[in-house]
Amino acid sequence: MKTSKTLNKGWWISLGIVVVVVILAVIIFIKPATKTPAPVADPTTSATAQAVGGCNVPKGDTSSKPAMPKDLRWEAAKGITWPVSDTYGPTQDKDGYGVCFARSPLGAALAMATFSGRTNTQDPKKALEIYAMATAGKKVALESTKTSSGDSGRDVPVGFAGFSTDSFTPEEAQITLVLAVAGTSTGYVGFPCTLRWVDGDWKIKLLDDGSPYAGTPTAPVSGQFVAWSGSRG
């Protein structure tokens, strides 16, 4: 468990979302970004893809509780795994960071999960530059973040459990990313986050203080959120 000094001074070393659990403090961090247009090779979704933005990723299920795509799988690096989909995101690569997500609740949630995973396993400052939209909060975060190879800084086991859609429009998504955290009252902690559709992809909207989450962490229970599912192979 990290000390308060670590939380204050090391907040942007791993960049992303601070997992606050009663008396436990866990550092973990998150992501999305832009890329040059590239058509999706699926003739049934090409018309939709042309309408959703520069990445040309099909929307898929736009409901608040979307079904999991058949190609959902788990990306793994440095002992951390997070969900990805070759169809809904990330579908392209920018300097070694996955980008281009579906303009839907699922796409926004995948963007947040990917941001978290990549920030923990790659350079957090580079991840911030790629995934965060231009705001005063981004400037604050960049000034507070050191370049490193990525270090989750976690002592308490956590995992990506799912997400809930708090609100959604084609321009903005309010998503709560749900993590499984050992030792909590429900076994889960939810982090509300805001994403904006910028230049054809989801970007994280940081608060003015540089925080990547937009509200007080919640304690959801199983059944209150959409659970990730898919092969961990």
Side-chain angles (χ1 to χ4, degrees), residues 35-187:
K35 186 72 176 180
T36 304
V40 176
D42 184 348
T44 64
T45 59
S46 58
T48 299
Q50 291 296 327
V52 299
C55 290
N56 291 337
V57 181
K59 291 180 183 178
D61 187 348
T62 58
S63 69
S64 62
K65 294 183 178 181
M68 290 296 101
K70 293 181 179 180
D71 65 354
L72 189 79
R73 58 185 176 80
W74 294 83
E75 192 80 10
K78 297 186 177 181
I80 299 174
T81 60
W82 61 93
V84 296
S85 165
D86 292 337
T87 302
Y88 301 107
T91 64
Q92 294 186 35
D93 179 271
K94 181 180 177 66
D95 300 331
Y97 295 77
V99 298
C100 285
F101 297 85
R103 197 173 188 177
S104 64
L106 175 62
L110 286 168
M112 289 302 301
T114 301
F115 175 43
S116 181
R118 285 302 175 192
T119 304
N120 275 282
T121 58
Q122 294 179 246
D123 179 358
K125 190 164 188 175
K126 181 66 174 179
L128 176 61
E129 291 172 341
I130 290 176
Y131 296 120
M133 64 181 291
T135 61
K138 180 176 181 177
K139 182 178 180 180
V140 170
L142 282 171
E143 291 174 348
S144 304
T145 302
K146 295 181 180 180
T147 300
S148 74
S149 60
D151 177 13
S152 66
R154 294 180 293 109
D155 288 326
V156 178
V158 299
F160 293 89
F163 69 95
S164 60
T165 306
D166 303 316
S167 68
F168 178 82
T169 71
E171 304 304 322
E172 182 173 286
Q174 299 280 346
I175 300 293
T176 292
L177 189 69
V178 180
L179 303 180
V181 182
T184 67
S185 59
T186 65

